[in-house]
Structures are given as C-alpha cells and as structure tokens.
Amino acid sequence: MDDQYKTIETPSTGYFKDKGSKFYSYAYPLKDEEEVKDLVAALKKEHHSARHHCYAWRLGTEEIRTRANDDGEPSSTAGKPILGQLQSYEVTNILVVVVRYFGGTLLGVSGLINAYRAATVEALNNADIILKLIEIQYELKFEYAMLNTVMNKLKQDNYDIVTTDFQESCRLIFKARKSDDERAYESFNEIYGIEIKRLD
C-alpha cells in the first residue's frame, strides 16, 4: 500500500567488534531534525572517550529527507553505510548513531564500511520495526443539530476522532488513511450544513 511506511517505536541497540575496534549502535525513533542534535550530544556525553560518533537519519513518509555524518572517519566510510542500511530496511523517521572505540589497528576503507554497516544491522535487527499509516486530518464545522449525524457517520465509516470542541457550534477533527482521502472528504462534503476542510 502506498499509504504505509516502516519505522520503529522504541530505541534499540547493537554491537559489532573488529580487530579490537568496538562499534556500539543506537537506533532511535525520530520526529524531527531538531531531536538529532540532542540524541547525538547525549551519546557523546555517555561515550566521551570514544573516537567517533557517526550517524545517519531518514525523515518523512512520502518525500524522504536524509543526512549522513562521518564524524572524522574517512569520507563515506561511516555515515553512508549506516544510511544504506536504513534504506535497505526501508525504515523512516529514524536515527542510527554508531559509536566507535578505536582498537589500535586500522581497518581500512572496506573494513570501516563493513563495520558501520554491520553495527547498524545489529541495531535494526534488535528493533521492533512496525508499519504505520500515512493519515490525513480533516476539520468539520457544523451546528449542534447535526451532531448525531456526524457522530454516526464517523462510527459507521470507522474514522478516528482527534479532537472535539462542542460549544454553541461544533468543531471536530478526525483522521483517515490517505488511500481513503476522497471517500472521507466527499462523505461529509455532500451533507448540507457541514463544512469540511483538509488540514496540513
């Protein structure tokens, strides 16, 4: 279905070791870019003696934005392999940070790419990957006399109510999955006395 996406709901961790270098991986559910700074800063504090804190994230459901950061590792040997796994697992709204403790032996470009990839896979395999729906929210405005009609229709079509504000006149926000958009909109648009609009 084109109105579903994969993500994680709770953080998870992974671990990989190669030639004495230790790679600790952390996967976090992500709401927005602002969170990245705080999560990375917290890990830098926790692993203050580690040499590198590399990461990648994906955000969005239909238009997906991405970022990868090598944090001092040779270009494209850390952030890119992390991002590659996020893409291959098709997960979004997620951040993975891999913390590296240097073990004294250089791993070389291919060794680094493999290590960051493997550490990411560990965190993703330990994560609870879930399917979520892309949903659209609608605002309904109507007079009190229409309340029963509206509530019955929402119940009958199985739409979730987000918020209600019932005073002299009524305002209600409900949501429907994206593939149901046309049907949800039209089912209220054609009832006289109900004003409906899609919310961004």
Side-chain angles (χ1 to χ4, degrees):
M1 297 293 289
D2 64 352
D3 64 351
Q4 295 180 330
Y5 63 96
K6 285 196 275 188
T7 189
I8 61 171
E9 239 175 357
T10 52
S12 67
T13 58
Y15 174 72
F16 180 76
K17 189 177 177 183
D18 188 12
K19 293 179 184 163
S21 277
K22 295 172 182 173
F23 298 83
Y24 295 89
S25 51
Y26 299 84
Y28 299 100
L30 204 58
K31 286 192 194 75
D32 53 52
E33 207 178 318
E34 297 302 304
E35 283 185 298
V36 175
K37 217 181 290 176
D38 293 340
L39 290 166
V40 173
L43 282 177
K44 283 188 174 177
K45 207 170 175 182
E46 188 186 329
H47 294 278
H48 54 87
S49 58
R51 188 172 282 197
H52 305 283
H53 305 77
C54 309
Y55 64 85
W57 53 256
R58 296 181 91 213
L59 267 173
T61 50
E62 290 165 288
E63 285 180 22
I64 294 179
R65 294 182 296 123
T66 64
R67 179 73 45 84
N69 186 310
D70 293 315
D71 192 36
E73 290 283 32
S75 178
S76 300
T77 59
K80 218 171 175 182
I82 298 171
L83 182 59
Q85 291 313 301
L86 298 184
Q87 287 163 334
S88 119
Y89 277 69
E90 296 177 336
V91 281
T92 187
N93 295 346
I94 185 171
L95 163 73
V96 170
V97 184
V98 179
V99 177
R100 179 194 182 189
Y101 286 88
F102 183 56
T105 306
L106 293 172
L107 300 182
V109 167
S110 62
L112 284 173
I113 290 171
N114 177 59
Y116 280 102
R117 184 189 289 138
T120 304
V121 165
E122 284 300 309
L124 291 174
N125 284 347
N126 292 331
D128 195 8
I129 295 174
I130 55 164
L131 266 182
K132 279 192 164 184
L133 293 175
I134 300 172
E135 293 174 313
I136 295 175
Q137 293 197 356
Y138 308 83
E139 180 187 64
L140 298 177
K141 286 180 179 172
F142 50 91
E143 293 306 314
Y144 224 76
M146 299 296 291
L147 185 57
N148 272 348
T149 307
V150 169
M151 296 312 263
N152 287 338
K153 185 121 195 71
L154 288 169
K155 195 175 175 187
Q156 177 193 322
D157 290 342
N158 218 7
Y159 294 136
D160 289 332
I161 296 168
V162 181
T163 59
T164 56
D165 179 12
F166 300 154
Q167 287 167 15
E168 283 157 44
S169 61
C170 304
R171 180 178 171 271
L172 177 148
I173 293 173
F174 76 96
K175 60 184 180 179
R177 62 187 295 172
K178 189 179 174 236
S179 56
D180 242 3
D181 172 41
E182 207 57 44
R183 188 168 76 94
Y185 186 85
E186 285 309 325
S187 65
F188 287 99
N189 194 39
E190 60 198 23
I191 302 174
Y192 179 76
I194 299 177
E195 192 186 314
I196 182 168
K197 76 167 182 179
R198 291 179 180 93
L199 301 175
D200 290 337

